[in-house]
Amino acid sequence: GFFQSYAVEVDVKDASNATCLYAKWMMRFLIKYETNSSDYKNTTLNLSSSVTHNGSVCGNDTQAALLAVQFGEGHSWSINFTKTNETYQGDFITLTYNTNDTAVFPDAKRKGPVTVVVKDTMRPVQLNNVFVCHNTDFFEAENVTQIFWNVTVQAFVQNGTIGKKESRCRADTPTSAPTVPPTIANVTTASTTTLSPAPTTAPKPVENPDTGNYSLKSGNKTCLLATVGLQLNVSQDKPLLININPKTTSADGACGNTTATLKLNDGNSTLIGF
């Protein structure tokens, strides 16, 4: 489905009430879990209507900085940052999801918290610079796909002032303008807000989308093939039409014995999963 998620902003203060760690981003989690009937279901874990950031740590020359958030029924996510004399970078990302949350994990066979740890691929960022990545990034491990976009973060903030220089991720070109997915919500500090109610009338399509050919391979064999033209009609305060351009859209995913997943990313933070 087309991701309609929440934005979260965290501003961590030191003992003098100066900002030492700042982040604003959007994220969502796709999780496969086993049910009591021994089959597997796919579910989506989103940020809830309120987010806390207990346990976040400023960090210093000898201690890693930690950005930690808690949401929903016992779910949490964190990333720690380490620094050298001139740079800082993300180290490990830790997600803990709670299968006791029956709204997200109905009929789960395994009950209780499950923790997944992945290595962050963030390149070293110059101190006093803000790391920015508008494009979508994925981390896959242990039946969990972590999805992030519209990320802004600075660790080890000096003198309580957020840097003015940006260090962009590889997926963002230096000349690209900030991409705001049509699903972004209003950002609030350490909390989230939902989108405005959908309008009663939808915009009329302006043009037909181009048809694209998307395929996945398992080894040397094609295991999934899709030939489709895609247009998204997003209902919000100002309705938005999006044609998915096959020329700039990449296909990813995986084929299993009983399930297959096709993920399309057009390079502008538009993600569709089948």
mmCIF file of all heavy atoms in Angstrom, residues 32-42 105-110:
data_model
loop_
_atom_site.group_PDB
_atom_site.id
_atom_site.type_symbol
_atom_site.label_atom_id
_atom_site.label_comp_id
_atom_site.label_asym_id
_atom_site.label_seq_id
_atom_site.Cartn_x
_atom_site.Cartn_y
_atom_site.Cartn_z
ATOM 1 N N LYS A 32 7.123 -9.815 9.281
ATOM 2 C CA LYS A 32 6.507 -11.111 9.038
ATOM 3 C C LYS A 32 6.595 -11.915 10.336
ATOM 4 O O LYS A 32 7.664 -12.021 10.933
ATOM 5 C CB LYS A 32 7.234 -11.856 7.924
ATOM 6 C CG LYS A 32 6.664 -13.234 7.614
ATOM 7 C CD LYS A 32 7.659 -14.049 6.807
ATOM 8 C CE LYS A 32 7.265 -14.123 5.392
ATOM 9 N NZ LYS A 32 8.151 -15.004 4.594
ATOM 10 N N TYR A 33 5.462 -12.481 10.792
ATOM 11 C CA TYR A 33 5.458 -13.219 12.058
ATOM 12 C C TYR A 33 4.661 -14.510 11.914
ATOM 13 O O TYR A 33 3.804 -14.656 11.040
ATOM 14 C CB TYR A 33 4.881 -12.357 13.186
ATOM 15 C CG TYR A 33 3.395 -12.087 13.065
ATOM 16 C CD1 TYR A 33 2.461 -12.844 13.775
ATOM 17 C CD2 TYR A 33 2.918 -11.065 12.243
ATOM 18 C CE1 TYR A 33 1.102 -12.601 13.660
ATOM 19 C CE2 TYR A 33 1.557 -10.812 12.124
ATOM 20 C CZ TYR A 33 0.663 -11.584 12.838
ATOM 21 O OH TYR A 33 -0.690 -11.354 12.712
ATOM 22 N N GLU A 34 4.957 -15.452 12.806
ATOM 23 C CA GLU A 34 4.302 -16.762 12.770
ATOM 24 C C GLU A 34 3.035 -16.733 13.620
ATOM 25 O O GLU A 34 3.015 -16.171 14.720
ATOM 26 C CB GLU A 34 5.245 -17.846 13.284
ATOM 27 C CG GLU A 34 4.701 -19.256 13.125
ATOM 28 C CD GLU A 34 5.684 -20.323 13.559
ATOM 29 O OE1 GLU A 34 6.750 -19.959 14.109
ATOM 30 O OE2 GLU A 34 5.400 -21.514 13.356
ATOM 31 N N THR A 35 1.970 -17.354 13.121
ATOM 32 C CA THR A 35 0.706 -17.431 13.852
ATOM 33 C C THR A 35 0.593 -18.775 14.568
ATOM 34 O O THR A 35 1.419 -19.674 14.399
ATOM 35 C CB THR A 35 -0.482 -17.265 12.890
ATOM 36 O OG1 THR A 35 -0.529 -18.392 12.011
ATOM 37 C CG2 THR A 35 -0.351 -15.986 12.078
ATOM 38 N N ASN A 36 -0.464 -18.913 15.361
ATOM 39 C CA ASN A 36 -0.681 -20.161 16.103
ATOM 40 C C ASN A 36 -0.962 -21.343 15.181
ATOM 41 O O ASN A 36 -0.797 -22.498 15.574
ATOM 42 C CB ASN A 36 -1.836 -19.994 17.100
ATOM 43 C CG ASN A 36 -1.423 -19.160 18.297
ATOM 44 O OD1 ASN A 36 -0.347 -19.354 18.859
ATOM 45 N ND2 ASN A 36 -2.260 -18.200 18.677
ATOM 46 N N SER A 37 -1.393 -21.072 13.964
ATOM 47 C CA SER A 37 -1.634 -22.154 13.007
ATOM 48 C C SER A 37 -0.384 -22.471 12.187
ATOM 49 O O SER A 37 -0.460 -23.191 11.188
ATOM 50 C CB SER A 37 -2.788 -21.781 12.081
ATOM 51 O OG SER A 37 -2.523 -20.545 11.433
ATOM 52 N N SER A 38 0.759 -21.911 12.609
ATOM 53 C CA SER A 38 2.075 -22.181 12.006
ATOM 54 C C SER A 38 2.232 -21.626 10.593
ATOM 55 O O SER A 38 3.160 -22.014 9.882
ATOM 56 C CB SER A 38 2.378 -23.686 12.011
ATOM 57 O OG SER A 38 2.483 -24.153 13.343
ATOM 58 N N ASP A 39 1.339 -20.739 10.154
ATOM 59 C CA ASP A 39 1.586 -20.028 8.905
ATOM 60 C C ASP A 39 2.148 -18.648 9.248
ATOM 61 O O ASP A 39 2.295 -18.293 10.414
ATOM 62 C CB ASP A 39 0.317 -19.925 8.058
ATOM 63 C CG ASP A 39 -0.783 -19.135 8.775
ATOM 64 O OD1 ASP A 39 -0.611 -18.850 9.974
ATOM 65 O OD2 ASP A 39 -1.802 -18.814 8.137
ATOM 66 N N TYR A 40 2.481 -17.883 8.224
ATOM 67 C CA TYR A 40 3.110 -16.585 8.458
ATOM 68 C C TYR A 40 2.243 -15.466 7.883
ATOM 69 O O TYR A 40 1.638 -15.615 6.819
ATOM 70 C CB TYR A 40 4.504 -16.541 7.818
ATOM 71 C CG TYR A 40 5.527 -17.319 8.605
ATOM 72 C CD1 TYR A 40 5.659 -18.694 8.430
ATOM 73 C CD2 TYR A 40 6.355 -16.692 9.527
ATOM 74 C CE1 TYR A 40 6.593 -19.420 9.155
ATOM 75 C CE2 TYR A 40 7.291 -17.408 10.260
ATOM 76 C CZ TYR A 40 7.408 -18.772 10.059
ATOM 77 O OH TYR A 40 8.336 -19.477 10.777
ATOM 78 N N LYS A 41 2.179 -14.371 8.621
ATOM 79 C CA LYS A 41 1.430 -13.205 8.188
ATOM 80 C C LYS A 41 2.358 -12.002 8.125
ATOM 81 O O LYS A 41 3.323 -11.895 8.873
ATOM 82 C CB LYS A 41 0.283 -12.903 9.160
ATOM 83 C CG LYS A 41 -0.892 -13.861 9.061
ATOM 84 C CD LYS A 41 -2.040 -13.399 9.956
ATOM 85 C CE LYS A 41 -3.263 -14.296 9.799
ATOM 86 N NZ LYS A 41 -4.394 -13.845 10.652
ATOM 87 N N ASN A 42 2.029 -11.089 7.206
ATOM 88 C CA ASN A 42 2.744 -9.821 7.114
ATOM 89 C C ASN A 42 1.927 -8.730 7.788
ATOM 90 O O ASN A 42 0.714 -8.661 7.608
ATOM 91 C CB ASN A 42 2.994 -9.452 5.655
ATOM 92 C CG ASN A 42 3.930 -10.425 4.975
ATOM 93 O OD1 ASN A 42 4.978 -10.761 5.515
ATOM 94 N ND2 ASN A 42 3.557 -10.889 3.782
ATOM 95 N N PHE A 105 -0.323 -7.618 15.830
ATOM 96 C CA PHE A 105 0.092 -9.012 15.668
ATOM 97 C C PHE A 105 -1.027 -9.958 16.120
ATOM 98 O O PHE A 105 -0.891 -10.656 17.137
ATOM 99 C CB PHE A 105 1.361 -9.289 16.473
ATOM 100 C CG PHE A 105 2.521 -8.412 16.105
ATOM 101 C CD1 PHE A 105 2.799 -7.269 16.843
ATOM 102 C CD2 PHE A 105 3.326 -8.713 15.021
ATOM 103 C CE1 PHE A 105 3.876 -6.451 16.514
ATOM 104 C CE2 PHE A 105 4.393 -7.903 14.679
ATOM 105 C CZ PHE A 105 4.668 -6.767 15.422
ATOM 106 N N PRO A 106 -2.144 -9.993 15.403
ATOM 107 C CA PRO A 106 -3.222 -10.900 15.816
ATOM 108 C C PRO A 106 -2.797 -12.363 15.692
ATOM 109 O O PRO A 106 -2.154 -12.745 14.718
ATOM 110 C CB PRO A 106 -4.352 -10.560 14.829
ATOM 111 C CG PRO A 106 -3.666 -9.953 13.652
ATOM 112 C CD PRO A 106 -2.471 -9.227 14.192
ATOM 113 N N ASP A 107 -3.137 -13.160 16.709
ATOM 114 C CA ASP A 107 -2.887 -14.597 16.686
ATOM 115 C C ASP A 107 -1.400 -14.933 16.583
ATOM 116 O O ASP A 107 -1.019 -15.955 16.008
ATOM 117 C CB ASP A 107 -3.653 -15.246 15.524
ATOM 118 C CG ASP A 107 -3.757 -16.757 15.669
ATOM 119 O OD1 ASP A 107 -3.900 -17.242 16.811
ATOM 120 O OD2 ASP A 107 -3.682 -17.459 14.644
ATOM 121 N N ALA A 108 -0.535 -14.096 17.162
ATOM 122 C CA ALA A 108 0.906 -14.372 17.110
ATOM 123 C C ALA A 108 1.258 -15.568 17.982
ATOM 124 O O ALA A 108 0.803 -15.684 19.119
ATOM 125 C CB ALA A 108 1.690 -13.146 17.555
ATOM 126 N N LYS A 109 2.066 -16.461 17.459
ATOM 127 C CA LYS A 109 2.484 -17.644 18.207
ATOM 128 C C LYS A 109 3.479 -17.280 19.299
ATOM 129 O O LYS A 109 3.396 -17.764 20.429
ATOM 130 C CB LYS A 109 3.100 -18.674 17.253
ATOM 131 C CG LYS A 109 3.488 -19.986 17.914
ATOM 132 C CD LYS A 109 3.967 -20.991 16.878
ATOM 133 C CE LYS A 109 4.293 -22.335 17.526
ATOM 134 N NZ LYS A 109 4.747 -23.322 16.494
ATOM 135 N N ARG A 110 4.435 -16.433 18.964
ATOM 136 C CA ARG A 110 5.433 -15.982 19.938
ATOM 137 C C ARG A 110 4.919 -14.729 20.619
ATOM 138 O O ARG A 110 4.553 -13.765 19.947
ATOM 139 C CB ARG A 110 6.759 -15.704 19.242
ATOM 140 C CG ARG A 110 7.856 -15.181 20.165
ATOM 141 C CD ARG A 110 9.143 -14.965 19.391
ATOM 142 N NE ARG A 110 10.187 -14.425 20.240
ATOM 143 C CZ ARG A 110 11.429 -14.153 19.830
ATOM 144 N NH1 ARG A 110 11.752 -14.394 18.565
ATOM 145 N NH2 ARG A 110 12.327 -13.659 20.659
#
